[in-house]
Every structure is written in C-alpha cells, then in structure tokens.
Amino acid sequence: MGLEGGVLLAGAEGRLFGIVAVAHARNGQVRVEVSRTADLRLPPAVTDRVRTGEELGVVMDELLGVTDIKRGVGSVGAVTGGLVTRADVWRQAVALAAAPLRDALPGGAGLYSG
C-alpha cells in the first residue's frame, strides 16, 4: 500500500488531496487498485506560500503556531476544526482502493469478476 498527499495548484486555488495505491498478490498475479481522497481548497495565504515552494506542513505549523501538524490531525483537521482529520481522509481512500481486491476474496460478492 502506498499513500501520497499533495497540493494541486490550479489558477489562484490550491487543493489538498491524496492518492492511495493498494496491491494484492495471489497465485503469481498482482492486482493494483488506486483511489483518490476527497480534496479541500486551502486558504489563500497557505496556497500562496506553497506556490513559492514551501512545504505545506511547515506553512501550517508556522501559521497556527504548532509543531508537526502533519503527524497529528493534519492540515485537513486544522482547516475543518477537527470535523475531518488526516486519518479520516486516508481511511476512506484506502477502503475504496481495497474494495475491488477484497471482493475477489472468499466471502466477497464477486461483483468485480468477469
């Protein structure tokens, strides 16, 4: 499994997002499924600094007066006031990427086969 977060810069906006890849090996065959997290428009002051090359976690730490936000609730947790945390966002994307792989296992519905 791989998880990678980033900021998509488009026009004046910066959007926080993540990509998840889940792989499953069975009988010499490897299947990979990919999913994307929900995204969040970042505050303009954050986007402006990220656009100049600063790392999002450092920017958020400085603006909020905290240390290592990326290991806690994450930027999404800070911006949403804890309504959604970094773990919440990743948990959903991992489950969505894994669903087609889980479907083929014993007890799965077989909806992705054929």
Coordinates of all heavy atoms in Angstrom, one line a residue:
M1 N 0.8 -1.2 0.0 CA 0.0 0.0 0.0 C 0.9 1.2 0.0 O 1.9 1.3 0.7 CB -0.9 0.0 1.2 CG -1.8 1.2 1.3 SD -3.0 1.2 2.6 CE -2.7 -0.2 3.6
G2 N 0.5 2.2 -0.8 CA 1.2 3.5 -0.8 C 0.2 4.6 -0.7 O -0.9 4.6 -1.2
L3 N 0.6 5.6 0.1 CA -0.2 6.8 0.3 C 0.7 8.0 0.0 O 1.8 8.1 0.5 CB -0.7 6.9 1.7 CG -1.7 5.9 2.2 CD1 -0.9 4.7 2.8 CD2 -2.6 6.5 3.2
E4 N 0.2 9.0 -0.8 CA 0.9 10.2 -1.1 C 0.0 11.4 -1.2 O -1.0 11.3 -1.9 CB 1.7 10.0 -2.4 CG 2.6 11.2 -2.8 CD 3.7 11.4 -1.8 OE1 4.3 10.4 -1.3 OE2 3.9 12.6 -1.4
G5 N 0.3 12.4 -0.4 CA -0.5 13.6 -0.4 C 0.1 14.7 -1.2 O 1.3 14.7 -1.5
G6 N -0.7 15.6 -1.7 CA -0.1 16.7 -2.4 C -1.1 17.9 -2.5 O -2.2 17.9 -1.9
V7 N -0.6 19.0 -3.1 CA -1.4 20.2 -3.3 C -1.5 20.4 -4.8 O -0.5 20.5 -5.5 CB -0.9 21.4 -2.6 CG1 -1.7 22.6 -3.0 CG2 -0.8 21.2 -1.1
L8 N -2.7 20.4 -5.4 CA -2.9 20.7 -6.8 C -3.1 22.3 -6.9 O -4.0 22.8 -6.3 CB -4.1 20.0 -7.3 CG -4.6 20.4 -8.7 CD1 -3.5 20.0 -9.7 CD2 -5.9 19.7 -9.1
L9 N -2.2 22.9 -7.6 CA -2.3 24.3 -7.8 C -2.9 24.6 -9.2 O -2.4 24.2 -10.2 CB -0.9 24.9 -7.8 CG -0.1 24.8 -6.4 CD1 1.3 25.2 -6.5 CD2 -0.9 25.5 -5.3
A10 N -4.0 25.2 -9.2 CA -4.8 25.5 -10.4 C -5.3 26.9 -10.3 O -6.2 27.2 -9.5 CB -5.9 24.5 -10.6
G11 N -4.9 27.8 -11.2 CA -5.3 29.2 -11.1 C -4.8 29.7 -9.7 O -3.7 29.5 -9.3
A12 N -5.7 30.4 -9.1 CA -5.4 31.0 -7.8 C -5.6 30.0 -6.6 O -5.2 30.3 -5.5 CB -6.3 32.2 -7.5
E13 N -6.2 28.9 -6.9 CA -6.5 27.9 -5.8 C -5.4 26.9 -5.6 O -4.7 26.5 -6.5 CB -7.8 27.2 -6.1 CG -9.0 28.0 -6.0 CD -10.3 27.1 -6.1 OE1 -10.2 25.9 -6.4 OE2 -11.4 27.7 -5.9
G14 N -5.4 26.4 -4.4 CA -4.6 25.2 -4.0 C -5.5 24.2 -3.4 O -6.3 24.6 -2.5
R15 N -5.5 23.0 -3.9 CA -6.4 22.0 -3.3 C -5.6 20.8 -2.8 O -4.8 20.2 -3.5 CB -7.4 21.5 -4.4 CG -8.2 22.6 -5.0 CD -9.4 22.2 -5.7 NE -10.5 21.7 -4.9 CZ -11.4 22.4 -4.2 NH1 -11.4 23.7 -4.4 NH2 -12.4 21.9 -3.5
L16 N -5.8 20.5 -1.5 CA -5.2 19.4 -0.8 C -5.8 18.1 -1.2 O -7.1 18.0 -1.2 CB -5.3 19.6 0.7 CG -4.7 18.6 1.6 CD1 -3.2 18.5 1.4 CD2 -5.0 19.0 3.1
F17 N -5.1 17.1 -1.6 CA -5.6 15.8 -2.0 C -4.6 14.7 -1.7 O -3.5 14.9 -1.3 CB -6.0 15.8 -3.5 CG -4.8 15.7 -4.3 CD1 -4.3 14.5 -4.9 CD2 -4.0 16.8 -4.6 CE1 -3.2 14.4 -5.7 CE2 -2.9 16.7 -5.4 CZ -2.5 15.5 -5.9
G18 N -5.0 13.5 -1.8 CA -4.1 12.3 -1.6 C -4.5 11.2 -2.6 O -5.6 11.1 -3.1
I19 N -3.5 10.4 -2.9 CA -3.6 9.2 -3.8 C -3.2 8.0 -3.0 O -2.2 8.0 -2.3 CB -2.7 9.3 -5.0 CG1 -3.1 10.6 -5.8 CG2 -2.8 8.1 -5.9 CD1 -4.4 10.5 -6.6
V20 N -4.0 6.9 -3.1 CA -3.7 5.6 -2.5 C -3.6 4.6 -3.5 O -4.4 4.5 -4.4 CB -4.9 5.3 -1.5 CG1 -4.7 3.9 -0.9 CG2 -5.0 6.3 -0.4
A21 N -2.6 3.7 -3.4 CA -2.5 2.5 -4.2 C -2.4 1.3 -3.3 O -1.6 1.3 -2.4 CB -1.3 2.6 -5.1
V22 N -3.2 0.3 -3.6 CA -3.2 -0.9 -2.8 C -2.9 -2.1 -3.8 O -3.6 -2.2 -4.9 CB -4.6 -1.1 -2.1 CG1 -4.6 -2.5 -1.4 CG2 -4.9 0.0 -1.2
A23 N -2.0 -3.0 -3.5 CA -1.7 -4.1 -4.3 C -2.0 -5.4 -3.6 O -1.8 -5.5 -2.4 CB -0.2 -4.0 -4.7
H24 N -2.3 -6.4 -4.3 CA -2.6 -7.7 -3.8 C -2.0 -8.8 -4.7 O -2.2 -8.8 -5.9 CB -4.1 -8.0 -3.7 CG -4.4 -9.3 -3.1 ND1 -4.8 -10.3 -4.0 CD2 -4.5 -9.8 -1.9 CE1 -5.1 -11.4 -3.2 NE2 -4.9 -11.1 -2.0
A25 N -1.1 -9.6 -4.2 CA -0.5 -10.7 -5.0 C -1.2 -12.0 -4.6 O -1.3 -12.4 -3.4 CB 1.0 -10.8 -4.7
R26 N -1.5 -12.8 -5.6 CA -2.1 -14.1 -5.4 C -1.9 -15.0 -6.6 O -2.1 -14.6 -7.7 CB -3.6 -13.9 -5.1 CG -4.3 -15.2 -4.8 CD -5.8 -14.9 -4.4 NE -6.4 -16.1 -4.0 CZ -7.7 -16.2 -3.8 NH1 -8.5 -15.2 -4.0 NH2 -8.3 -17.4 -3.4
N27 N -1.4 -16.2 -6.3 CA -1.2 -17.1 -7.4 C -0.3 -16.6 -8.5 O -0.5 -16.8 -9.7 CB -2.5 -17.7 -8.0 CG -3.3 -18.4 -7.0 OD1 -2.8 -19.0 -6.1 ND2 -4.6 -18.3 -7.1
G28 N 0.7 -15.8 -8.1 CA 1.6 -15.2 -9.1 C 1.1 -14.0 -9.9 O 1.8 -13.5 -10.7
Q29 N 0.0 -13.6 -9.5 CA -0.6 -12.4 -10.2 C -0.7 -11.3 -9.2 O -1.1 -11.5 -8.1 CB -2.0 -12.7 -10.8 CG -1.9 -13.9 -11.8 CD -2.9 -13.6 -13.0 OE1 -3.8 -12.8 -12.9 NE2 -2.7 -14.3 -14.1
V30 N -0.4 -10.1 -9.7 CA -0.5 -8.9 -8.8 C -1.6 -8.0 -9.4 O -1.6 -7.7 -10.6 CB 0.8 -8.1 -8.8 CG1 0.7 -6.9 -8.0 CG2 1.9 -9.0 -8.2
R31 N -2.5 -7.6 -8.5 CA -3.5 -6.6 -8.9 C -3.3 -5.3 -8.1 O -2.9 -5.4 -6.9 CB -4.9 -7.1 -8.6 CG -5.3 -8.2 -9.5 CD -6.8 -8.7 -9.2 NE -7.7 -7.6 -9.2 CZ -8.9 -7.6 -8.6 NH1 -9.2 -8.7 -7.9 NH2 -9.7 -6.6 -8.7
V32 N -3.4 -4.2 -8.8 CA -3.3 -2.9 -8.1 C -4.5 -2.1 -8.3 O -5.0 -2.0 -9.5 CB -2.0 -2.1 -8.7 CG1 -1.9 -0.7 -8.0 CG2 -0.8 -2.9 -8.5
E33 N -5.0 -1.5 -7.3 CA -6.1 -0.6 -7.4 C -5.7 0.8 -6.8 O -4.9 0.8 -5.8 CB -7.3 -1.1 -6.6 CG -7.9 -2.4 -7.1 CD -8.7 -2.1 -8.4 OE1 -9.1 -1.0 -8.7 OE2 -8.9 -3.1 -9.2
V34 N -6.2 1.8 -7.4 CA -5.9 3.2 -7.0 C -7.1 4.0 -6.7 O -8.2 3.8 -7.3 CB -5.1 3.9 -8.1 CG1 -4.8 5.3 -7.7 CG2 -3.8 3.1 -8.4
S35 N -7.0 4.8 -5.6 CA -8.2 5.7 -5.3 C -7.6 7.1 -4.9 O -6.4 7.2 -4.7 CB -8.9 5.1 -4.1 OG -10.1 5.9 -3.8
R36 N -8.5 8.0 -4.9 CA -8.1 9.4 -4.5 C -8.9 9.8 -3.3 O -10.1 9.4 -3.2 CB -8.4 10.3 -5.7 CG -8.0 11.7 -5.6 CD -8.3 12.4 -7.0 NE -7.6 13.7 -7.1 CZ -8.1 14.8 -6.6 NH1 -9.2 14.9 -6.0 NH2 -7.4 15.9 -6.7
T37 N -8.4 10.6 -2.5 CA -9.1 11.2 -1.4 C -10.0 12.3 -1.9 O -9.9 12.8 -3.0 CB -8.2 11.8 -0.3 OG1 -7.5 12.9 -0.8 CG2 -7.2 10.8 0.2
A38 N -10.9 12.7 -1.0 CA -11.6 14.0 -1.2 C -10.6 15.1 -1.2 O -9.5 14.9 -0.7 CB -12.6 14.2 -0.1
D39 N -11.0 16.2 -1.8 CA -10.0 17.3 -1.8 C -10.6 18.5 -1.0 O -11.8 18.5 -0.7 CB -9.5 17.7 -3.2 CG -10.6 18.3 -4.0 OD1 -11.7 18.8 -3.5 OD2 -10.5 18.3 -5.3
L40 N -9.7 19.4 -0.7 CA -10.1 20.5 0.2 C -9.4 21.8 -0.4 O -8.1 21.8 -0.6 CB -9.7 20.3 1.6 CG -9.8 21.5 2.6 CD1 -11.2 21.8 2.8 CD2 -9.1 21.2 3.9
R41 N -10.1 22.8 -0.6 CA -9.5 24.1 -1.0 C -8.8 24.7 0.2 O -9.3 24.9 1.2 CB -10.5 25.1 -1.6 CG -9.9 26.3 -2.1 CD -10.9 27.2 -2.8 NE -11.9 27.7 -1.9 CZ -11.8 28.8 -1.1 NH1 -10.7 29.5 -1.1 NH2 -12.8 29.2 -0.3
L42 N -7.5 25.0 0.0 CA -6.7 25.6 1.0 C -6.9 27.1 1.1 O -7.3 27.7 0.1 CB -5.2 25.3 0.8 CG -4.8 23.8 0.9 CD1 -3.4 23.7 0.4 CD2 -4.9 23.4 2.4
P43 N -6.7 27.6 2.3 CA -6.8 29.1 2.5 C -5.8 29.8 1.6 O -4.7 29.3 1.4 CB -6.5 29.3 4.0 CG -6.8 28.0 4.6 CD -6.4 27.0 3.6
P44 N -6.2 31.0 1.0 CA -5.3 31.7 0.1 C -3.9 31.9 0.7 O -2.9 31.8 -0.1 CB -6.1 33.0 -0.2 CG -7.5 32.6 0.1 CD -7.5 31.6 1.2
A45 N -3.8 32.3 1.9 CA -2.5 32.5 2.5 C -1.6 31.3 2.5 O -0.4 31.4 2.3 CB -2.6 33.1 3.9
V46 N -2.2 30.1 2.7 CA -1.5 28.9 2.6 C -1.1 28.6 1.2 O 0.1 28.2 0.9 CB -2.3 27.7 3.2 CG1 -1.6 26.4 3.0 CG2 -2.6 28.0 4.7
T47 N -2.0 28.7 0.3 CA -1.7 28.4 -1.1 C -0.6 29.3 -1.7 O 0.3 28.8 -2.4 CB -3.0 28.6 -2.0 OG1 -4.0 27.8 -1.5 CG2 -2.8 28.4 -3.5
D48 N -0.6 30.6 -1.3 CA 0.4 31.5 -1.8 C 1.8 31.0 -1.4 O 2.7 31.1 -2.2 CB 0.1 32.9 -1.3 CG -1.1 33.6 -1.9 OD1 -1.6 33.0 -2.9 OD2 -1.6 34.6 -1.3
R49 N 1.9 30.6 -0.2 CA 3.2 30.1 0.3 C 3.6 28.8 -0.3 O 4.8 28.6 -0.7 CB 3.3 30.1 1.8 CG 3.2 31.5 2.4 CD 3.2 31.5 3.9 NE 4.4 30.9 4.5 CZ 4.7 30.8 5.8 NH1 3.8 31.2 6.6 NH2 5.8 30.2 6.2
V50 N 2.7 27.9 -0.5 CA 3.0 26.6 -1.1 C 3.4 26.8 -2.5 O 4.3 26.2 -3.1 CB 1.8 25.6 -1.0 CG1 2.0 24.4 -1.9 CG2 1.6 25.2 0.5
R51 N 2.8 27.7 -3.2 CA 3.1 28.1 -4.6 C 4.6 28.5 -4.8 O 5.2 28.3 -5.8 CB 2.2 29.1 -5.1 CG 2.3 29.4 -6.6 CD 1.3 30.5 -7.1 NE -0.1 30.2 -6.8 CZ -0.9 29.4 -7.4 NH1 -0.4 28.7 -8.4 NH2 -2.1 29.2 -7.1
T52 N 5.1 29.1 -3.7 CA 6.5 29.6 -3.8 C 7.5 28.4 -3.5 O 8.7 28.6 -3.5 CB 6.8 30.7 -2.8 OG1 6.7 30.3 -1.5 CG2 5.9 31.9 -3.1
G53 N 7.0 27.2 -3.1 CA 7.8 26.1 -2.9 C 7.9 25.6 -1.5 O 8.6 24.7 -1.2
E54 N 7.2 26.3 -0.6 CA 7.3 25.9 0.8 C 6.4 24.6 1.0 O 5.4 24.4 0.3 CB 6.7 27.0 1.8 CG 7.6 28.2 1.9 CD 7.1 29.2 2.9 OE1 7.1 28.9 4.1 OE2 6.7 30.3 2.5
E55 N 6.8 23.8 2.0 CA 6.1 22.6 2.3 C 4.9 22.9 3.1 O 5.0 23.7 4.0 CB 7.1 21.6 3.0 CG 6.6 20.2 3.1 CD 5.9 19.9 4.3 OE1 6.3 20.4 5.4 OE2 4.9 19.1 4.3
L56 N 3.8 22.2 2.8 CA 2.5 22.5 3.4 C 2.6 22.4 4.9 O 2.1 23.3 5.6 CB 1.4 21.6 2.8 CG 0.0 21.7 3.5 CD1 -0.5 23.1 3.3 CD2 -0.9 20.7 2.9
G57 N 3.2 21.3 5.4 CA 3.2 21.1 6.9 C 3.9 22.2 7.6 O 3.5 22.7 8.7
V58 N 5.0 22.7 7.0 CA 5.8 23.8 7.6 C 5.0 25.1 7.6 O 4.9 25.8 8.6 CB 7.1 24.0 6.9 CG1 7.9 25.2 7.3 CG2 8.0 22.7 7.0
V59 N 4.3 25.3 6.5 CA 3.5 26.5 6.4 C 2.4 26.5 7.5 O 2.1 27.5 8.2 CB 2.8 26.7 5.0 CG1 1.8 27.8 5.0 CG2 3.9 26.9 4.0
M60 N 1.7 25.4 7.6 CA 0.6 25.2 8.6 C 1.1 25.4 10.0 O 0.5 26.0 10.8 CB -0.1 23.9 8.4 CG -0.9 23.8 7.1 SD -2.2 25.0 6.8 CE -3.4 24.4 8.0
D61 N 2.2 24.7 10.3 CA 2.8 24.8 11.6 C 3.1 26.3 12.0 O 2.7 26.8 13.1 CB 4.2 24.1 11.7 CG 4.0 22.6 11.8 OD1 2.9 22.1 12.0 OD2 5.0 21.9 11.7
E62 N 3.7 27.0 11.0 CA 4.0 28.4 11.3 C 2.8 29.3 11.5 O 2.7 30.1 12.4 CB 4.9 29.0 10.2 CG 6.3 28.4 10.2 CD 7.2 29.0 9.1 OE1 6.7 29.9 8.4 OE2 8.3 28.4 8.9
L63 N 1.8 29.1 10.6 CA 0.6 29.9 10.7 C -0.3 29.6 11.9 O -0.9 30.5 12.5 CB -0.3 29.7 9.4 CG 0.3 30.3 8.1 CD1 -0.6 29.9 6.9 CD2 0.4 31.8 8.2
L64 N -0.2 28.4 12.4 CA -1.1 28.0 13.5 C -0.3 28.0 14.8 O -0.9 27.8 15.9 CB -1.7 26.6 13.3 CG -2.6 26.6 12.1 CD1 -3.0 25.1 11.8 CD2 -3.9 27.4 12.3
G65 N 1.0 28.1 14.8 CA 1.8 28.1 16.0 C 1.9 26.8 16.6 O 1.9 26.7 17.9
V66 N 1.9 25.7 15.8 CA 2.0 24.3 16.3 C 3.3 23.7 15.8 O 4.0 24.3 15.0 CB 0.8 23.5 16.0 CG1 -0.5 24.2 16.5 CG2 0.6 23.4 14.4
T67 N 3.5 22.5 16.2 CA 4.6 21.7 15.7 C 4.2 20.4 15.2 O 3.4 19.6 15.8 CB 5.6 21.4 16.9 OG1 6.0 22.6 17.5 CG2 6.8 20.6 16.4
D68 N 4.6 20.1 13.9 CA 4.4 18.8 13.3 C 2.9 18.4 13.1 O 2.5 17.3 13.4 CB 5.1 17.7 14.0 CG 5.8 16.7 13.1 OD1 5.8 16.9 11.9 OD2 6.3 15.7 13.6
I69 N 2.1 19.4 12.6 CA 0.7 19.2 12.4 C 0.4 18.0 11.5 O -0.6 17.3 11.6 CB 0.0 20.4 11.8 CG1 -1.5 20.3 12.0 CG2 0.4 20.6 10.4 CD1 -2.2 21.6 11.8
K70 N 1.4 17.7 10.6 CA 1.2 16.6 9.6 C 1.2 15.2 10.3 O 0.7 14.2 9.7 CB 2.2 16.7 8.5 CG 3.6 16.4 8.9 CD 4.6 16.6 7.7 CE 6.0 16.6 8.1 NZ 6.9 16.9 7.0
R71 N 1.7 15.1 11.5 CA 1.6 13.8 12.2 C 0.5 13.8 13.2 O 0.2 12.7 13.8 CB 2.9 13.7 13.0 CG 4.2 13.7 12.1 CD 5.3 12.8 12.6 NE 6.5 13.0 11.8 CZ 6.7 12.5 10.6 NH1 5.8 11.8 10.0 NH2 7.8 12.7 10.0
G72 N -0.3 14.8 13.2 CA -1.5 14.9 14.1 C -2.7 14.8 13.3 O -2.9 14.0 12.4
V73 N -3.6 15.9 13.5 CA -4.8 16.0 12.7 C -4.6 16.3 11.3 O -5.5 16.2 10.5 CB -5.8 17.0 13.4 CG1 -6.2 16.5 14.8 CG2 -5.3 18.4 13.4
G74 N -3.4 16.8 10.9 CA -3.1 17.2 9.6 C -3.7 18.5 9.2 O -4.5 19.1 10.0
S75 N -3.3 19.0 8.0 CA -3.8 20.3 7.6 C -5.4 20.2 7.4 O -6.1 21.2 7.8 CB -3.2 20.6 6.2 OG -1.8 20.8 6.4
V76 N -5.9 19.1 7.0 CA -7.3 19.0 6.8 C -8.0 19.1 8.2 O -9.1 19.7 8.3 CB -7.7 17.7 6.1 CG1 -7.4 16.5 6.8 CG2 -9.2 17.7 5.6
G77 N -7.5 18.5 9.2 CA -8.0 18.6 10.5 C -8.0 20.0 11.1 O -9.0 20.5 11.7
A78 N -6.9 20.7 10.8 CA -6.8 22.1 11.2 C -7.8 23.0 10.5 O -8.5 23.8 11.1 CB -5.4 22.6 11.0
V79 N -7.9 22.9 9.2 CA -8.8 23.7 8.4 C -10.3 23.4 8.7 O -11.1 24.3 8.8 CB -8.5 23.6 6.9 CG1 -9.6 24.3 6.1 CG2 -7.1 24.1 6.6
T80 N -10.6 22.2 9.0 CA -12.0 21.8 9.3 C -12.4 21.9 10.8 O -13.5 21.6 11.2 CB -12.4 20.4 8.8 OG1 -11.6 19.4 9.5 CG2 -12.1 20.2 7.3
G81 N -11.4 22.3 11.6 CA -11.7 22.4 13.0 C -11.9 21.0 13.6 O -12.6 20.9 14.6
G82 N -11.3 20.0 13.1 CA -11.4 18.7 13.6 C -12.6 17.9 13.1 O -12.8 16.7 13.5
L83 N -13.4 18.5 12.3 CA -14.6 17.7 11.7 C -14.1 16.6 10.9 O -14.8 15.5 10.9 CB -15.5 18.6 10.9 CG -16.2 19.7 11.7 CD1 -16.9 20.7 10.7 CD2 -17.2 19.1 12.7
V84 N -13.0 16.7 10.2 CA -12.4 15.7 9.4 C -10.9 15.7 9.7 O -10.3 16.8 9.6 CB -12.6 15.9 7.9 CG1 -12.0 14.8 7.1 CG2 -14.1 16.0 7.6
T85 N -10.3 14.6 10.1 CA -8.9 14.5 10.3 C -8.2 13.9 9.2 O -8.8 13.3 8.3 CB -8.6 13.7 11.6 OG1 -9.0 12.3 11.4 CG2 -9.4 14.3 12.8
R86 N -6.9 14.0 9.2 CA -6.0 13.3 8.2 C -6.3 11.8 8.2 O -6.5 11.2 7.1 CB -4.5 13.6 8.6 CG -3.5 12.9 7.8 CD -2.1 13.3 8.2 NE -1.8 12.9 9.6 CZ -1.4 11.7 9.9 NH1 -1.1 10.8 9.0 NH2 -1.1 11.3 11.2
A87 N -6.5 11.2 9.3 CA -6.7 9.7 9.4 C -8.1 9.4 8.7 O -8.2 8.4 8.0 CB -6.7 9.2 10.8
D88 N -9.1 10.3 9.0 CA -10.4 10.1 8.3 C -10.3 10.0 6.8 O -10.9 9.2 6.2 CB -11.4 11.2 8.7 CG -11.7 11.2 10.2 OD1 -11.7 10.2 10.9 OD2 -12.0 12.3 10.7
V89 N -9.6 11.0 6.3 CA -9.5 11.1 4.8 C -8.8 9.9 4.2 O -9.2 9.3 3.3 CB -8.8 12.4 4.5 CG1 -8.4 12.5 3.0 CG2 -9.6 13.6 4.8
W90 N -7.7 9.5 4.9 CA -6.9 8.4 4.3 C -7.7 7.1 4.5 O -7.6 6.2 3.6 CB -5.5 8.3 5.0 CG -4.6 9.3 4.6 CD1 -4.0 10.3 5.3 CD2 -4.1 9.5 3.3 NE1 -3.2 11.1 4.6 CE2 -3.2 10.6 3.3 CE3 -4.2 8.8 2.0 CZ2 -2.5 11.1 2.2 CZ3 -3.6 9.3 0.9 CH2 -2.7 10.4 1.0
R91 N -8.4 6.9 5.6 CA -9.1 5.7 5.9 C -10.1 5.4 4.8 O -10.3 4.3 4.3 CB -9.9 5.8 7.2 CG -10.6 4.5 7.7 CD -11.2 4.7 9.1 NE -10.3 5.0 10.1 CZ -10.2 6.2 10.7 NH1 -11.1 7.2 10.4 NH2 -9.3 6.5 11.6
Q92 N -10.9 6.4 4.4 CA -11.9 6.3 3.3 C -11.2 5.9 2.0 O -11.7 5.0 1.3 CB -12.7 7.5 3.2 CG -13.8 7.4 2.1 CD -14.5 8.7 2.0 OE1 -14.0 9.7 1.7 NE2 -15.9 8.6 2.0
A93 N -10.1 6.6 1.6 CA -9.5 6.3 0.3 C -8.9 4.9 0.3 O -8.9 4.2 -0.7 CB -8.4 7.4 0.1
V94 N -8.3 4.4 1.4 CA -7.8 3.1 1.5 C -8.9 2.1 1.3 O -8.7 1.1 0.5 CB -7.0 2.8 2.8 CG1 -6.7 1.4 3.0 CG2 -5.7 3.7 2.8
A95 N -10.0 2.3 2.0 CA -11.1 1.3 1.8 C -11.7 1.3 0.4 O -12.0 0.2 -0.1 CB -12.3 1.8 2.8
L96 N -11.7 2.4 -0.2 CA -12.2 2.5 -1.6 C -11.3 1.8 -2.6 O -11.7 1.1 -3.5 CB -12.5 3.9 -2.0 CG -13.6 4.6 -1.3 CD1 -13.6 6.1 -1.7 CD2 -14.9 4.0 -1.5
A97 N -10.0 2.0 -2.4 CA -9.0 1.3 -3.2 C -9.0 -0.2 -3.0 O -8.8 -1.0 -3.9 CB -7.6 1.9 -3.0
A98 N -9.2 -0.6 -1.8 CA -9.1 -2.0 -1.4 C -10.4 -2.8 -1.8 O -10.4 -4.0 -1.9 CB -8.8 -2.2 0.1
A99 N -11.5 -2.1 -1.9 CA -12.8 -2.8 -2.2 C -12.8 -3.8 -3.3 O -13.2 -4.9 -3.2 CB -13.9 -1.8 -2.4
P100 N -12.3 -3.4 -4.5 CA -12.2 -4.4 -5.6 C -11.4 -5.6 -5.3 O -11.6 -6.7 -5.8 CB -11.7 -3.6 -6.8 CG -12.0 -2.2 -6.5 CD -11.8 -2.1 -5.0
L101 N -10.3 -5.4 -4.6 CA -9.4 -6.5 -4.2 C -10.1 -7.4 -3.2 O -10.0 -8.7 -3.3 CB -8.1 -6.0 -3.7 CG -7.3 -5.1 -4.6 CD1 -6.1 -4.5 -3.9 CD2 -6.9 -5.8 -5.9
R102 N -10.8 -6.9 -2.2 CA -11.5 -7.6 -1.2 C -12.6 -8.4 -1.8 O -12.9 -9.5 -1.4 CB -12.0 -6.7 -0.1 CG -12.7 -7.4 1.0 CD -13.3 -6.3 2.0 NE -14.0 -7.0 3.0 CZ -15.2 -7.5 2.9 NH1 -15.8 -7.4 1.8 NH2 -15.8 -8.1 3.9
D103 N -13.2 -7.9 -2.8 CA -14.4 -8.5 -3.5 C -14.0 -9.9 -4.0 O -14.9 -10.8 -4.1 CB -14.9 -7.6 -4.6 CG -16.1 -8.2 -5.3 OD1 -17.2 -8.1 -4.7 OD2 -15.9 -8.6 -6.5
A104 N -12.8 -10.1 -4.4 CA -12.4 -11.4 -5.0 C -12.0 -12.4 -4.0 O -11.8 -13.6 -4.3 CB -11.2 -11.2 -6.0
L105 N -11.9 -12.0 -2.7 CA -11.5 -12.9 -1.7 C -12.7 -13.8 -1.2 O -13.9 -13.5 -1.5 CB -11.0 -12.2 -0.4 CG -9.7 -11.3 -0.7 CD1 -9.4 -10.5 0.6 CD2 -8.6 -12.2 -1.1
P106 N -12.4 -14.9 -0.6 CA -13.5 -15.8 -0.1 C -14.5 -14.9 0.8 O -14.1 -14.1 1.6 CB -12.8 -16.8 0.8 CG -11.5 -16.9 0.2 CD -11.1 -15.5 -0.3
G107 N -15.8 -15.0 0.5 CA -16.8 -14.2 1.2 C -17.1 -13.0 0.5 O -18.1 -12.3 0.8
G108 N -16.3 -12.6 -0.5 CA -16.7 -11.4 -1.3 C -17.8 -11.7 -2.3 O -18.2 -12.8 -2.6
A109 N -18.5 -10.6 -2.7 CA -19.7 -10.8 -3.6 C -19.4 -11.1 -5.0 O -20.2 -11.5 -5.8 CB -20.5 -9.5 -3.5
G110 N -18.1 -11.0 -5.4 CA -17.7 -11.3 -6.8 C -18.2 -10.3 -7.8 O -18.3 -10.6 -9.0
L111 N -18.5 -9.1 -7.4 CA -19.0 -8.1 -8.3 C -18.0 -7.6 -9.3 O -18.4 -7.0 -10.4 CB -19.6 -6.9 -7.5 CG -20.8 -7.3 -6.6 CD1 -21.2 -6.1 -5.8 CD2 -22.0 -7.7 -7.5
Y112 N -16.7 -7.7 -9.0 CA -15.7 -7.2 -9.9 C -15.1 -8.3 -10.8 O -14.2 -8.0 -11.6 CB -14.5 -6.6 -9.1 CG -14.9 -5.3 -8.5 CD1 -15.5 -5.2 -7.2 CD2 -14.7 -4.1 -9.1 CE1 -15.9 -4.0 -6.6 CE2 -15.1 -2.9 -8.6 CZ -15.6 -2.8 -7.3 OH -16.0 -1.6 -6.8
S113 N -15.6 -9.5 -10.7 CA -15.0 -10.6 -11.5 C -15.7 -10.6 -12.9 O -16.8 -10.1 -13.0 CB -15.2 -11.9 -10.9 OG -16.6 -12.2 -10.7
G114 N -15.0 -11.1 -13.9 CA -15.5 -11.2 -15.2 C -15.5 -10.0 -16.0 O -15.9 -9.6 -16.9

